[in-house]
Amino acid sequence: MHHALITGANRGLGLEHARQLLERGWHVSAAVRNPDAATELAALAEGEGKLDIHAYDAADPASAAALAAVVTGPVDLLFANAGMASGETRAFGQAAGAAMLDEFRVNTIAPLALVEAFAGQVEASEMKVIALQSSRMGSVRENESGGAYGYRSSKAALNAIGKSLSIDLKDRGIVVLILHPGWVKTDMGGPQGQLTVQESVSGQLDLIARAYGNPVMSGRFYHVSGQDLPW
Ligand SMILES: NC(=O)c1ccc[n+]([C@@H]2O[C@H](COP(=O)([O-])OP(=O)(O)OC[C@H]3O[C@@H](n4cnc5c(N)ncnc54)[C@H](OP(=O)(O)O)[C@@H]3O)[C@@H](O)[C@H]2O)c1
């Protein structure tokens, strides 16, 4: 049975990843801020696959190591999905403040801490895939509307981290995908989003399946459609 660890799995894209992987018979370790409140996630335990729910706060630098103490065994897919966008860092004139550090803690540093804590377990697995949930908003080239200082820069920095990871983990057979899920109807994406969570996640899982044993995909920034995005 393949094993995935997914952060931010209590709602939005992370919840749908858990649902679709469980349907495919995977073992899913779901990492969420508040396990007691993750009722929609907990209900998925009744289907196929195997579900474990663990406490994890991406804003706490010690949380990844604590998670690695309880999530044992090989991890075929490590999915750093949890993310946030602060309204306080959106507009020019008031963006540079403490909220920007929160975005960097959650969107940038936490995924790296997760990979540092779990690289050995990913290496020990059959698939050896790491997915970083980035955003097209982190593309410097594609920025045509400005603003979103904290979110854009924290995702651009995540992209830089993903590229370094792809190089540093290459000899261990690990493939690192940097992903844009599309504009998706979630709490973050809002109701105007162009894709449903089902559409986005099935596209992302197709990309992940292609990445298995395919090192040429490592360190690239992919739109959910499968196209490369510019940095
Ligand atoms: N939706 C889009 O259009 C879109 C586009 C590009 C990229 N993305 C990225 O996709 C990922 C998922 O977004 P989404 O659309 O599913 O958003 P969402 O519905 O707002 O869900 C965000 C998830 O991240 C979790 N999270 C936030 N801060 C956390 C923390 N400190 N520790 C642990 N978990 C934390 C949330 O947990 P709580 O429920 O506890 O808050 C929630 O599970 C994010 O990285 C986002 O940047 C989304």
Side-chain angles (χ1 to χ4, degrees), residues 8 10-11 13 33 57-58 81 83 133-134 151 155 182 184 186:
N10 55 310
R11 61 189 168 103
L13 287 160
R33 255 201 286 216
D57 183 354
N81 166 75
Q133 195 71 284
S134 183
Y151 188 69
K155 291 293 190 181
V184 191
T186 62

